Amino acid sequence: MISRRERKKRETHQRLMEAALDLFRERGYDATTVEDITDAADVAKGTFFNYFATKEAILPALAEWRLRQLEDALLPEQGAPDSPVARIKMALCLVAEDPLANPSLARRLFAAVMPHLDSEDAHPGRALARLLADQVRQAQGVGEIRDDLDPLYVGGLIRTAFFQQLMVWYCGYSQGMLPELIDRTVDLLLDGIAGPEWGRAS
């Protein structure tokens, strides 16, 4: 059980994050002020600074919050696919659709966490790799991915390929819908790129 005061604090914190994310999506980060966020959250402007030192400081909190939501969405009991590889593709599509994946906001987010790179939990890219690694472990358990590979390493490879594809798509260099591009990228990683002469050439 939590006290009424603590519950109110959590509710205010949540309202501020929801308001900030909506405004960043609609107006962009630079065009959104702290006052805009507090007005949308229906709290006094000074209340914002009880929770976040600066406007930039809300970005890591948003990333952590969205990651928790992503983890919940990947639970089979929440309707996620039974296949771990299908859940990996689902996770990447959900990340790509998130406002925080927009290049301009993503740059702001990574700048906000740069001073805290010594903390493993502070970096959203590392957190995503760990989430993917968990799905890789589950895929290894059911035979969808080789079990002689380090799950964190494979999760990092998937994350790297995903962000590269995301940037290519945002720049307009890839044709087609982003979910299809993500699907093909994951399939290519799993299928491999070696041709019939690979063993002989090496």
Side-chain angles (χ1 to χ4, degrees), residues 12-200:
T12 300
H13 184 268
Q14 183 71 20
R15 288 208 313 273
L16 286 167
M17 291 202 298
E18 290 174 354
L21 190 64
D22 287 343
L23 289 167
F24 293 159
R25 179 192 292 118
E26 294 168 7
R27 305 181 185 179
Y29 178 86
D30 290 330
T32 300
T33 66
V34 168
E35 190 169 4
D36 291 333
I37 295 170
T38 53
D39 284 348
D42 195 25
V43 298
K45 182 177 179 180
T47 301
F48 181 93
F49 299 104
N50 293 333
Y51 297 89
F52 309 103
T54 62
K55 184 177 80 168
E56 187 180 63
I58 200 172
L59 292 172
L62 285 173
E64 182 181 352
W65 171 49
R66 298 298 277 180
L67 188 67
R68 289 198 303 269
Q69 291 182 318
L70 179 59
E71 290 172 339
D72 290 342
L74 294 180
L75 296 173
E77 53 266 37
Q78 297 296 329
D82 290 331
S83 161
V85 168
R87 292 199 296 270
I88 288 171
K89 293 178 179 180
M90 175 184 172
L92 297 178
C93 286
L94 290 174
V95 171
E97 294 169 359
D98 196 281
L100 293 175
N102 179 281
S104 62
L105 197 51
R107 284 193 294 271
R108 291 283 190 176
L109 170 59
F110 281 92
V113 300
M114 280 297 289
H116 311 286
L117 285 184
D118 289 341
S119 170
E120 287 291 319
D121 294 329
H123 198 292
R126 291 177 188 152
L128 177 60
R130 286 194 296 275
L131 182 147
L132 293 172
D134 183 57
Q135 297 301 319
V136 169
R137 288 188 192 93
Q138 295 179 47
Q140 289 173 323
V142 297
E144 290 185 337
I145 291 178
R146 284 170 43 187
D147 62 5
D148 61 332
L149 301 171
D150 178 0
L152 191 58
Y153 176 71
V154 176
L157 286 178
I158 294 171
R159 177 202 60 187
T160 300
F162 162 69
F163 279 121
Q164 189 274 341
Q165 186 63 76
L166 187 62
M167 290 302 101
V168 166
W169 186 81
Y170 266 117
C171 292
Y173 298 134
S174 288
Q175 301 297 317
M177 301 295 289
L178 186 56
E180 296 170 0
L181 298 174
I182 291 171
D183 192 81
R184 290 204 301 268
T185 298
V186 174
D187 286 344
L188 181 61
L189 279 174
L190 296 183
D191 292 340
I193 62 172
E197 300 300 315
W198 160 244
R200 298 173 194 172

